[in-house]
Amino acid sequence: MTDTSNGNVTLTTSADGIATISFYHPAQNSLPAGLLRKLTDTIETAGYNTETRIIVLKSEGDRTFCAGASFDELLLIKDKQAGAEFFSGFANVINACRKSPKIIIARIQGKAVGGGVGLAAAADYCLATEAASIKLSELAIGIGPFVISPAVIRKIGLPAFSQLTIRAVDFQTAQWAKEKGLYNEVYADILSMDKELTSLTQKLASYHPQALVGLKQILWEGTGNWDQLLTERAATSGELVLSEFTQHALNSFLKK
């Protein structure tokens, strides 16, 4: 677990091999660099543990699932290298999900913004509530969802990604996200979602482990170049965040 002042990541594994990874940050479960590193490490640890059958990825609280990048931390970036390193944190989390040999089920209890949408897209299956609306706000602050775009497009396709990106200040509903393929199931509330999550993960944990590994490989076919691709995208975002436009936009958002 990390220092709670900067958020935390926890990993618990049940007797039947269900590994639950939970992250928290006091600023609407945003993801500063340290939390991204811990999340990457925890996904890798759970994925390569022979006792793990299924991974559940969730955040704490009953409101926002993930607010994406930490704006406070973005304002501290002063050079291209630091920018690329920060956005590589999101690339590393996505690639950890992609390369994990275990199926990852995401539990989305509330709004997902920016990198939070990327986390949902990096999972293999998503359960969400009606409150789990989504938004890609990056364009509105002078950058773009470049790092997460391969994962999001893989799930919802280019037309829906275009709408989500260009309508940068607008939330799309959880039902919209389900219709487009980001969410697989949407429930009225957290209680009903968690009931089905328990049932689903217990069933999956009882299946042949090698069959699940084989399924995981099929689900991610054609993504073998993502280590390089997402690194390149991180460099692009890291350069844009230094611009006067983006710095001004970030400061304006923080003053609201």
Side-chain angles (χ1 to χ4, degrees):
M1 182 182 294
T2 59
D3 184 343
T4 55
S5 64
N6 296 312
N8 63 65
V9 177
T10 59
L11 170 62
T12 57
T13 304
S14 66
D16 50 1
I18 300 169
T20 300
I21 298 171
S22 180
F23 65 92
Y24 166 76
H25 191 277
Q28 296 182 304
N29 288 326
S30 60
L31 293 170
L35 208 56
L36 287 166
R37 286 192 295 270
K38 182 66 176 177
L39 193 54
T40 298
D41 291 344
T42 307
I43 291 168
E44 291 175 347
T45 296
Y48 291 100
N49 184 338
T50 57
E51 300 300 315
T52 300
R53 295 296 187 92
I54 295 294
I55 295 173
V56 173
L57 179 62
K58 57 175 286 190
S59 65
E60 296 182 23
D62 58 5
R63 302 192 67 175
T64 304
F65 168 69
C66 178
S70 166
F71 281 12
D72 287 329
E73 195 160 0
L74 286 176
L75 282 169
L76 297 176
I77 296 172
K78 301 303 180 185
D79 57 69
K80 293 180 182 179
Q81 181 178 348
E85 288 176 356
F86 175 82
F87 287 101
S88 289
F90 286 95
N92 293 337
V93 170
I94 291 172
N95 278 321
C97 291
R98 174 178 68 89
K99 292 188 283 189
S100 173
K102 307 299 165 55
I103 296 291
I104 298 175
I105 310 295
R107 172 193 180 272
I108 318 293
Q109 83 278 17
K111 290 179 178 178
V113 179
V117 178
L119 280 186
D124 300 301
Y125 200 84
C126 283
L127 276 63
T129 71
E130 292 283 0
S133 54
I134 63 173
K135 180 172 70 171
L136 291 183
S137 58
E138 287 88 343
L139 206 60
I141 58 170
I143 56 177
F146 302 122
V147 173
I148 66 171
S149 62
V152 179
I153 291 171
R154 168 181 165 269
K155 281 290 184 73
I156 69 174
L158 189 58
F161 173 77
S162 298
Q163 180 180 347
L164 199 57
T165 304
I166 289 171
R167 290 284 188 176
V169 297
D170 299 331
F171 275 100
Q172 303 298 328
T173 67
Q175 285 297 336
W176 185 95
K178 181 177 182 291
E179 290 168 6
K180 303 304 181 185
L182 180 66
Y183 298 156
N184 299 97
E185 303 174 22
V186 173
Y187 294 89
D189 51 44
I190 293 175
L191 185 64
S192 54
M193 176 184 64
D194 283 345
K195 181 179 179 181
E196 184 55 35
L197 177 65
T198 299
S199 175
L200 175 62
T201 53
Q202 287 176 344
K203 288 176 184 175
L204 288 170
S206 71
Y207 296 162
H208 195 309
Q210 288 307 116
L212 292 171
V213 170
L215 174 61
K216 177 82 178 197
Q217 293 170 347
I218 291 172
L219 293 177
W220 288 92
E221 281 181 348
T223 62
N225 67 326
W226 279 24
D227 282 330
Q228 179 180 347
L229 176 62
L230 299 194
T231 298
E232 293 170 353
R233 298 287 179 84
T236 300
S237 295
E239 186 170 351
L240 282 170
V241 78
L242 297 172
S243 70
E244 183 179 348
F245 183 101
T246 301
Q247 294 292 304
H248 176 74
L250 287 169
N251 276 300
S252 296
F253 269 92
L254 288 173
K255 289 175 182 177
K256 288 181 179 179

